Amino acid sequence: MTWQEFVEKARNGVAYSDGSMGVFLQQYGLRGEDCPEMWNITRPDIVQSVHQAYIDAGSDLVITNTLGGNRIKLESYGLAHRLEELNAAGVRNARHVAKGKALVAADIGPTGHFVRPLGDISFDEMVDIYKEQILALANAGADVLFFETHIDILELKAGILAAREVCDLPIIASVTFESDGRMVTGTSPEAAFTTLEALGVDIMGMNCGTGPREMLAIMERVGHLFETPLIVQANAGLPHLVDGKTHYSETPETYVETALRMLEHGACVIGGCCGTTPEHIRLLIERSEREKPYRKYHRRPIDFLKLSSRFEFHRLGQALPFTVIGERINPTARKSLVEDILKGGYALVREEALKQQHSGAHVLDVNMGIPQADEPKLMEEAIHLLSTVVRIPLAIDTSSPQAAIRGMRVYPGKPLLNSVTAEPERLALLPEIKRYGAAFVALPIDEQGIPETAEKRVSLMKRILEACEKWGIDKKNILADPLVMTVSSDQRSARETLRTLRMFRDELGLLTTMGLSNVSFGLPARPFVNQAFLTMAIEAGLTSAIVNPLDEHQMGLIKASDVLLGRDPSAMEYIRLYSGQKQGSSSVAREMSLEERIREAVIKGHKDRIEGLLEEALGRSLSPREILDSLLIPAITEVGHLYETRQYFLPQLLLSAETMQKAFARLEPLLRSEGETTQGKLVFATVQGDVHDIGKNIVILMLRNQGFEVIDLGKDVPAERIYEVAREKQADIIGLSALMTTTMPRMAEFMELLKQKNMSIPVMVGGAAVTRQFAASIGAYYAIDAVDAVRVAYDIMGKK
């Protein structure tokens, strides 16, 4: 089978991938401490037999045993120096049995580290890490690259860009969602797939994490939103241990029943993940070929533009509500904002962003154009901050090609670039826009400047569209700007702008935007002019505008226009916003007390402010213990509540935790000098054979923020060492983490060791594969996540 045949089969019906590799390797003796990729060399017969079983079942594609074949994962086993050898062997094993009957998909998994700003690896470093593995896989003869089980959209973007830099193989990209329907870092399915589609992957979708029912719910939401083929590979339900062996809750029959419904909602490549077997795949193929459920799916035309942030996506279209692009993150003529940016605090930038989001902005325009400043660096720093604190997408507003490229590269989503003109040096950005998956604002300006007539502006826009076609950029990724001139100097200019809008809509089929406020420059009572012109422009086809979302009258006009043009069905959004509101009412914001400012700093993650606030509090003779117990701990507890209720996600949790960490670092010496003790002492480790520690590290961070003393032993720690350190340090609690079902038995073995040593210390367990039932079965406490771990630790200490 060729790649073209595979894609054609998917688009016309359904193509089939394979199922779990790990379950089989475990059955053949793979232990938790073993490197699975090493079996490509030491046990190639077993790896090949797994591939053969899936090909015999009917899989059109088999996935190599190279999920953890990147440098970071292999370093955990002391095998980084054999990266090329292990990955090449994985491809050879699959090719040996595929023999043209199935495609060989080179498996590329996550590194186990987050990219900055969430983690400690820069974006460019992550690209280089993936290049090494991808080059080895491509050189070994893989047919397609398969990124799977990714939990951070920015890390996956780094991998995709790395692939484009070293080879031209097709790309399948698959992410993992939690039970709440989001990635660990808070990315919704709509946002994840908007980003992947913009990056130009050939097939995209989801795998692992959840069972088929949860994935069906996601398919019901997103299937109609995307043109890129969607792949679904669910787990066979939840894993559980029986007599030390892993079993999954979904039988082939129950798995297939749900999988068939996914095909009805737009999935066109389907297989399985953890716990699925050749029998699952065989039955899936038999049933789907016989019943052809995919025929029930009717693809709708996509006539809207999509943007995405790390968290959410936004659609712009002629029939959709008007899009407000917030204009206030712009240092032009704003001295305080310039000072805030240059000193690196970005406190005002954050404040402006959150106020605009709260006021109804759908996208935030971000401009870092400060004379003599390093604009690419400032843009990257602003994106790092804003992509973690606001949910809405960003527009990268710059005249600097370097800042534009840097911003598009590190942005964890699909941004809007503002802007591109018909001038050659600006059109040169089009290949970079295509590469980084951005939409852009197009201005009909050339070397002669701004054309006076609508006809000439349309002519220049056609030139831009021709250049876009050359680079494969769809016009749905363009917001055409009709150019707003100052009406005080030429009253004809407003009418010409409106004519341009209509021609962009009617002749070119383009979505539109504009910077509104320029129309009234030089006139008194400018808001009247702005609002009148905005109303006329919306009727003429304007679909978005760069405006001040803090202007309540202007925002009300926009919402009313949506009602009058039928873009707000049943006026539901208008009623939601304005029912019961007293027109003309206003309130004066009360100045916050010091205590309130400290709590807000923790809750909102203002780590640049917390130390100054603490000094102020200590200067007012508040005791370190009072500050910790009455202000900081209640604040971080509130953050935990926001996280549990999914109002906050991992990026916000980490920001608040880092703020709390800075606060505790300042107070801890004072507490010790006053003879204060900790909340309790814990020894924490990832069990032997498990090299994953992202979750453990977040748990430790949260515990330390609550005043617990935590001794972190790291990952892949033998039971005897955990016991010895806990005994020596007189720990109050032992914490154990395991990600894989293969290493969960180590927890049970540790509990047996404690019995043998006659040690009755409480043990807390957690991790992706660990369940409450398993914890109870071995006599341990269970924590579902970092916030719950703090609660469990307090409960244990309360019983002592």
Side-chain angles (χ1 to χ4, degrees):
M1 173 173 283
T2 66
W3 172 251
Q4 290 73 22
E5 290 169 341
F6 182 85
V7 172
E8 185 177 353
K9 185 176 181 182
R11 289 194 176 277
N12 295 330
V14 58
Y16 305 99
S17 58
D18 61 10
S20 172
M21 168 69 72
V23 167
F24 280 92
L25 299 189
Q26 292 167 26
Q27 290 175 355
Y28 283 108
L30 180 74
R31 299 169 300 170
E33 59 266 32
D34 295 337
C35 173
E37 288 73 26
M38 192 65 189
W39 277 40
N40 291 329
I41 294 172
T42 60
R43 303 301 303 273
D45 55 325
I46 293 176
V47 175
Q48 291 172 17
S49 70
V50 176
H51 291 317
Q52 188 66 62
Y54 284 116
I55 291 173
D56 292 343
S59 294
D60 300 309
L61 172 149
V62 290
I63 304 169
T64 62
N65 179 38
T66 55
L67 179 71
N70 60 74
R71 179 208 315 164
I72 293 180
K73 283 291 182 71
L74 293 177
E75 278 175 353
S76 302
Y77 299 103
L79 294 171
H81 63 290
R82 301 182 70 176
L83 181 149
E84 184 176 358
E85 177 189 9
L86 294 172
N87 282 281
V91 174
R92 281 199 308 272
N93 288 329
R95 287 182 63 83
H96 180 75
V97 295
K99 297 176 181 176
K101 293 178 290 186
L103 291 176
V104 172
D107 202 3
I108 305 166
T111 62
H113 287 248
F114 290 124
V115 183
R116 291 177 190 157
L118 300 186
D120 54 359
I121 296 181
S122 74
F123 187 84
D124 291 337
E125 288 173 325
M126 190 64 80
V127 170
D128 289 339
I129 288 167
Y130 277 113
K131 278 184 181 179
E132 296 172 345
Q133 184 186 10
I134 293 167
L135 195 58
L137 295 165
N139 288 340
D143 298 310
V144 56
L145 302 177
F146 197 136
F147 292 89
E148 66 168 346
T149 324
H150 283 265
I151 62 173
D152 177 8
I153 198 66
L154 192 54
E155 182 187 13
L156 180 51
K157 179 177 180 177
I160 292 167
L161 293 179
R164 298 294 191 214
E165 291 179 16
V166 300
C167 70
D168 59 359
L169 290 176
I171 294 176
I172 302 174
S174 180
V175 299
T176 294
F177 298 112
E178 301 290 287
S179 58
D180 68 346
R182 290 180 179 266
M183 297 171 69
V184 165
T185 49
T187 308
S188 71
E190 294 88 345
F193 296 154
T194 294
T195 303
L196 294 176
E197 185 172 67
L199 288 169
V201 301
D202 299 274
I203 296 172
M204 63 187 186
M206 51 188 158
N207 76 289
C208 205
T210 59
R213 291 173 183 81
E214 292 85 355
M215 288 195 181
L216 172 61
I218 292 174
M219 283 303 308
E220 290 172 346
R221 279 170 45 190
V222 307
H224 65 285
L225 295 173
F226 301 96
E227 295 174 327
T228 301
L230 293 171
I231 181 172
V232 180
Q233 294 181 291
N235 290 340
L238 294 173
H240 54 278
L241 286 178
V242 178
D243 298 329
K245 294 183 179 180
T246 305
H247 295 263
Y248 288 83
S249 57
E250 295 281 349
T251 66
E253 290 74 19
T254 60
Y255 182 90
V256 169
E257 284 295 334
T258 309
L260 294 177
R261 294 182 60 197
M262 294 186 216
L263 298 177
E264 295 178 7
H265 290 280
C268 55
V269 182
I270 197 161
C273 202
C274 299
T276 56
T277 66
E279 184 55 34
H280 289 76
I281 303 302
R282 181 179 294 107
L283 184 60
L284 174 61
I285 294 172
E286 290 175 358
R287 289 280 305 277
S288 60
E289 291 300 313
R290 183 171 68 246
E291 300 172 26
K292 294 181 170 48
Y294 47 84
R295 289 182 176 174
K296 297 180 181 179
Y297 177 70
H298 301 288
R299 189 173 298 279
R300 308 174 197 173
I302 305 296
D303 58 356
F304 45 80
L305 183 156
K306 297 187 289 287
L307 300 173
S308 62
S309 67
R310 182 188 289 279
F311 304 108
E312 307 290 353
F313 90 129
H314 178 71
R315 292 189 295 164
L316 298 87
Q318 292 290 352
L320 295 171
F322 191 85
T323 291
V324 173
I325 304 173
E327 68 180 4
R328 293 183 56 80
I329 305 177
N330 190 323
T332 304
R334 296 184 66 186
K335 184 178 178 181
S336 60
L337 193 58
V338 171
E339 292 174 351
D340 175 60
I341 293 168
L342 291 181
K343 74 180 183 181
Y346 290 90
L348 288 179
V349 171
R350 176 205 297 259
E351 184 178 322
E352 289 287 8
L354 290 172
K355 284 195 297 187
Q356 290 182 95
Q357 177 178 262
H358 179 73
S359 298
H362 304 105
V363 181
L364 293 181
D365 191 75
V366 181
N367 187 304
M368 292 287 122
I370 300 174
Q372 283 76 55
D374 185 346
E375 190 176 349
K377 181 174 182 287
L378 295 180
M379 183 63 73
E380 180 171 0
E381 291 174 350
I383 286 173
H384 280 340
L385 169 69
L386 295 176
S387 65
T388 61
V389 301
V390 296
R391 297 192 180 196
I392 56 181
L394 302 182
I396 299 167
D397 184 355
T398 179
S399 59
S400 162
Q402 294 77 22
I405 292 170
R406 193 63 201 165
M408 291 187 292
R409 182 173 176 84
V410 302
Y411 181 67
K414 179 182 178 181
L416 178 68
L417 178 65
N418 186 9
S419 56
V420 171
T421 68
E423 299 163 286
E425 62 270 24
R426 296 302 290 181
L427 288 176
L429 278 171
L430 292 180
E432 301 298 329
I433 289 171
K434 177 68 174 179
R435 179 187 185 192
Y436 294 117
F440 70 93
V441 175
L443 304 178
I445 300 174
D446 64 4
E447 299 87 334
Q448 281 71 50
I450 299 175
E452 292 184 359
T453 67
E455 286 77 12
K456 289 181 179 179
R457 294 177 191 180
V458 169
S459 177
L460 284 184
M461 192 58 65
K462 288 180 179 178
R463 185 192 302 177
I464 295 173
L465 290 174
E466 289 171 2
C468 288
E469 187 175 357
K470 173 185 174 183
W471 290 105
I473 298 173
D474 193 287
K475 69 178 183 181
K476 287 196 296 290
N477 280 318
I478 298 171
L479 287 180
D481 190 328
L483 300 176
V484 179
M485 308 304 292
T486 304
V487 74
S488 61
S489 60
D490 182 2
Q491 285 188 272
R492 296 173 302 172
S493 65
R495 294 196 301 273
E496 209 61 30
T497 297
L498 295 173
R499 279 212 315 128
T500 306
L501 271 173
R502 294 188 183 96
M503 293 174 74
F504 281 171
R505 179 190 62 190
D506 300 335
E507 295 184 19
L508 302 183
L510 290 172
L511 302 176
T512 50
T513 195
M514 64 184 187
L516 177 67
S517 58
N518 193 45
V519 70
S520 62
F521 186 78
L523 292 174
R526 293 180 64 185
F528 292 134
V529 180
N530 291 343
Q531 291 168 18
F533 185 63
L534 179 59
T535 304
M536 300 166 84
I538 291 174
E539 194 282 328
L542 186 68
T543 47
S544 67
I546 303 171
V547 298
N548 178 9
L550 307 187
D551 184 332
E552 294 181 5
H553 293 289
Q554 190 167 259
M555 293 295 286
L557 182 152
I558 288 170
K559 297 303 180 184
S561 296
D562 285 340
V563 173
L564 297 173
L565 293 174
R567 296 172 177 171
D568 181 3
S570 303
M572 293 302 294
E573 178 65 8
Y574 188 86
I575 292 170
R576 184 187 70 82
L577 288 171
Y578 298 114
S579 60
Q581 178 174 313
K582 294 180 180 179
Q583 299 302 311
S585 65
S586 62
S587 60
V588 178
R590 175 181 61 84
E591 184 175 348
M592 297 174 67
S593 68
L594 173 61
E595 290 81 1
E596 288 172 328
R597 284 184 283 138
I598 290 174
R599 284 194 290 266
E600 181 189 57
V602 174
I603 291 171
K604 294 187 176 179
H606 292 305
K607 59 182 179 181
D608 55 309
R609 295 182 181 177
I610 191 65
E611 290 177 324
L613 291 170
L614 291 182
E615 295 304 327
E616 187 178 346
L618 293 169
R620 293 190 186 180
S621 300
L622 286 173
S623 72
R625 175 53 64 183
E626 185 179 0
I627 294 171
L628 182 64
D629 288 348
S630 300
L631 303 177
L632 296 176
I633 288 181
I636 199 68
T637 301
E638 173 63 16
V639 170
H641 171 72
L642 293 170
Y643 180 72
E644 287 185 315
T645 56
R646 308 311 278 164
Q647 298 174 66
Y648 270 18
F649 302 104
L650 186 60
Q652 293 99 332
L653 180 70
L654 289 176
L655 269 179
S656 292
E658 289 168 4
T659 304
M660 185 73 176
Q661 194 173 31
K662 287 186 73 173
F664 194 74
R666 176 66 184 92
L667 296 179
E668 187 177 21
L670 302 177
L671 292 168
R672 290 190 183 280
S673 68
E674 295 178 0
E676 296 281 356
T677 59
T678 66
Q679 302 284 3
K681 185 183 295 183
L682 292 88
V683 169
F684 236 99
T686 301
V687 297
Q688 187 173 21
D690 204 313
V691 296
H692 304 87
D693 64 356
I694 286 181
K696 171 183 70 68
N697 293 343
I698 296 170
V699 170
I700 290 172
L701 182 62
M702 291 296 292
L703 286 166
R704 285 174 174 164
N705 286 339
Q706 292 277 345
F708 287 92
E709 179 183 350
V710 184
I711 300 160
D712 182 9
L713 299 183
K715 55 194 176 185
D716 190 20
V717 186
E720 284 285 351
R721 171 161 169 71
I722 300 171
Y723 162 74
E724 289 295 341
V725 173
R727 182 180 60 81
E728 176 188 342
K729 300 293 185 180
Q730 297 183 328
D732 297 301
I733 304 169
I734 295 173
L736 302 178
S737 174
L739 180 72
M740 305 181 296
T741 56
T742 53
T743 55
M744 282 169 56
R746 298 289 181 269
M747 293 177 168
E749 293 169 7
F750 182 79
M751 299 301 291
E752 287 299 318
L753 175 64
L754 289 185
K755 289 180 183 178
Q756 294 171 16
K757 301 289 187 178
N758 198 29
M759 193 177 192
S760 59
I761 184 170
V763 176
M764 181 195 326
V765 299
V770 181
T771 64
R772 191 175 303 277
Q773 293 77 11
F774 172 75
S777 71
I778 64 173
Y781 290 87
Y782 173 69
I784 191 170
D785 57 25
V787 174
D788 193 38
V790 171
R791 186 182 301 112
V792 172
Y794 273 122
D795 288 345
I796 293 173
M797 294 305 299
K799 296 176 183 177
K800 279 184 166 283

